[in-house]
Amino acid sequence: MKKNISYVIAMALVATFSSCKQDLVTMEPVPVDQGTAPLAVADSVQTFKVIPSASIETDRLQFRAAHNEMQATGFYVAPNSTITITVNVKSGTTVPRLAIGTPFRDNIRPVRQYFNLAAGTQTFTVDQYGGLVYIIYAANNYTTNGEIEVTFGNGFKPVPYFQKGITTHQQWLATLDSLKTAVPDVVFSSDRSIMVSNMDEALLYKNEDQQAIVNRLDSIVGHENYISGLSGTTGVHAIPYNKHLVTVRDSASGGYMAAGIAIYYTESLSYRMLQPKYLTNTNGWGLWHEFGHTYQQKGWTWGGLTETTVNIYSMAAERGFGLPVSRITANNSWPKLDTYFAKPIAERNYNAGDNDLKLIMFHQLWLAFGDNLYITLSRSTRENRPNVSTDAEKMRYFMISACQIAQKDLSDFFTKWGFQVDAAVYTEIANLNLPAPAQDITLLRD
């Protein structure tokens, strides 16, 4: 196999998420350290296989929005440069595409630059922006197979490329030193994520434990896969096939955000991303929250809950990392519940509450019924694919589903919380002939 630098290629071993919530698998050719500390850069010849498209994944998982389908290459191209790439089609007829530019990282550009790739050698001219290079090789189904071998030729510049379980700290230091003036970005690749950081920040935090960073990124995904009832590699409940893309953005853009096909963090928050201790303590909440947005299901996220149901996943990560108190307790949000419940029931309107208050309702259900409630709700939503579109339909779906999963009549709970729905919904719950909970769930605290 051709190489742009002398190192040996090996298949990454199967990585198992330490809490045994699900399997995480790496299947990329990667360099092996033989003691001479070769640079941590991508091979000039890489193999890519067809993956499910973002849209087909969104449909399978019943998510609210599509996310990443780009595969990292570990290369950068300069603005206005000429690049040469060779494609050897080993199998299949799916047309691969080259994508130049990282979402949000290159926020000055109107749209990424794309080139359809054909078998053989081809040359392209890069636009005035340049950027990191990705391969899009996806199908809108789970049956299409295909494999290509891509040779990255003239114009492709390797970036520091940290690969989980493969790259050593010494390799990383040597690579940063070698390429610090050659390229603006670095890339971290874990089993379940791709993270882009800028070179300056990577140099600033070069003495941190990069292996811990990628491990903890996978742990965040693992905790949120778990509460979503996702596990394994096949079937409707398989772990998402495509990696989460997390990228840096200029500090003027706020803090964190999940939008479109990527999650971004601003440069001012790089210290949290590049120092592993911040990924698993209370400072990690912002990232856990943005990952959570990628898991929200459309069937039970009605209007006004975008910033509420997301934290079901954030709190799963919080518990997974062993934080001693919930975010609700840490933020002293419980008094909001006391104020709200001081109103007569007829004056309560759940949907009019703020996000902190509305989250308490979901958390009380977790306090009463544990992880199983949300695991089962997520799985049944994928299986049943509810045809709901209005807020009223989504509220009904959630209320009926919660009762069925808990095997309790939760009418009193929803009434006290001010769920203003058609009386027919409460009649439907009554017709399930379920017993009331043994305790008043609205009184639960942690």
Side-chain angles (χ1 to χ4, degrees), residues 300-312 315 328 333-334 336-337 340-341 349-366 374 391 395 398 413-414 417-419:
W300 48 283
T301 301
W302 60 88
L305 291 192
T306 301
E307 296 299 331
T308 301
T309 58
V310 57
N311 287 326
I312 291 171
M315 294 182 78
I328 292 170
S333 295
W334 291 109
K336 291 186 177 184
L337 179 62
Y340 179 61
F341 276 8
N349 181 359
Y350 174 79
N351 290 332
D354 66 22
N355 290 317
D356 289 343
L357 178 64
K358 287 185 287 191
L359 177 61
I360 292 174
M361 188 278 297
F362 287 97
H363 188 52
Q364 286 186 322
L365 288 174
W366 178 82
Y374 295 115
D391 285 354
M395 289 183 72
F398 173 76
F413 176 76
F414 292 131
W417 264 103
F419 271 48

Side-chain angles (χ1 to χ4, degrees), residues 61-64 220-230 285 287-298 300-301 305-306 308-321 359 374-375 377-378 382:
L61 298 163
Q62 291 291 286
F63 287 162
R64 295 178 65 244
I220 295 169
V221 176
H223 294 312
E224 300 195 9
N225 281 340
Y226 164 72
I227 201 66
S228 301
L230 295 165
W285 178 269
L287 185 61
W288 309 340
H289 174 96
E290 301 309 334
F291 270 106
H293 277 303
T294 72
Y295 287 91
Q296 287 176 296
Q297 291 183 306
K298 59 185 179 180
W300 48 283
T301 301
L305 291 192
T306 301
T308 301
T309 58
V310 57
N311 287 326
I312 291 171
Y313 311 97
S314 317
M315 294 182 78
E318 177 181 66
R319 294 189 295 272
F321 288 125
L359 177 61
Y374 295 115
I375 291 172
L377 176 59
S378 300
R382 288 191 289 274

